[in-house]
């Protein structure tokens, strides 16, 4: 093999490895929230998240003020700001105005337990 071919081959190999590494990254939906998805579903209905969001499996949740929460586990960022993780998702749900001041999602006084359950539901819907 000529040196040029070798170089091309190793570049191709590196690209494959890099792609494999990205593909192999587990989606955030595999993350452990420690919450209870069933209670999360009830909390989502109680707080009325569906008025602004489309949410899989939640009757009447067809809102379009905010982005759809379907497949939120596959999103890299929460609200385009926080790297998607169970902790960050819960922080957002509880304190959206602290994370992105002035955005259209109000602080809804979601307590810690409800935020954990809601995150569990959203990741596993
Ligand atoms: C009054 C409308 C409104 C209500 C009610 C509301 N949201 Fe939101 N939500 C928004 C808007 C607008 C955004 C986009 C904010 C941004 O990106 O700056 C958002 C963003 C989000 C995001 C990030 C989505 C993404 O694509 O990154 C999550 C998660 C979320 N909301 C969850 C909830 C939950 C859970 C509730 C109920 C406890 C709720 N929201 C209630 C308007 C609302």
């Amino acid at each position: 093999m000529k040196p040029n071919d070798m170089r091309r081959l190793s570049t191709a190999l590196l690209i494959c490895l890099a792609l494999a590494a990205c593909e192999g990254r587990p989606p955030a939906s595999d993350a452990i929230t420690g919450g209870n998805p069933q209670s999360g579903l009830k909390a989502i209905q109680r707080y009325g998240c569906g008025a602004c969001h489309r949410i899989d499996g939640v009757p009447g949740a067809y809102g379009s003020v905010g982005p759809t929460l379907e497949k939120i586990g596959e999103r890299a960022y929460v609200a385009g700001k926080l790297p998607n993780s169970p902790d960050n998702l819960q922080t957002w749900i509880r304190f959206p105005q602290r994370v992105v001041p002035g955005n259209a999602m109000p602080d809804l006084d979601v307590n810690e337990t409800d935020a954990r359950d809601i995150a569990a539901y959203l990741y596993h819907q």
Side-chain angles (χ1 to χ4, degrees):
M1 206 182 280
K2 290 187 220 134
N4 249 351
D5 290 342
M6 275 299 275
R7 210 169 304 132
R8 244 175 251 138
L9 189 67
S10 51
T11 305
L13 203 67
L14 275 178
I15 291 170
C16 284
L17 281 175
L19 285 176
C22 291
E23 288 295 316
R25 187 175 152 269
S29 55
D30 288 350
I32 311 284
T33 57
N36 177 330
Q38 278 318 307
S39 310
L41 172 58
K42 293 198 190 104
I44 285 170
Q45 291 175 301
R46 223 170 36 245
Y47 288 103
C49 314
C52 292
H53 293 285
R54 179 174 283 274
I55 312 170
D56 246 1
V58 180
Y62 301 119
S64 55
V65 177
T68 172
L69 301 185
E70 289 164 327
K71 301 212 168 78
I72 185 82
E74 292 175 12
R75 220 71 63 75
Y77 288 92
V78 176
K81 174 102 182 190
L82 302 171
N84 194 353
S85 71
D87 280 354
N88 282 341
L89 182 59
Q90 288 165 61
T91 298
W92 172 263
I93 290 169
R94 298 190 68 200
F95 312 112
Q97 288 302 319
R98 214 179 282 174
V99 180
V100 180
N103 90 85
M105 177 163 159
D107 283 349
L108 294 165
D109 284 329
V110 179
N111 68 41
E112 201 178 333
T113 310
D114 287 343
R116 195 178 309 130
D117 292 342
I118 290 172
Y121 180 83
L122 293 177
Y123 278 148
H124 295 284
Q125 63 187 328

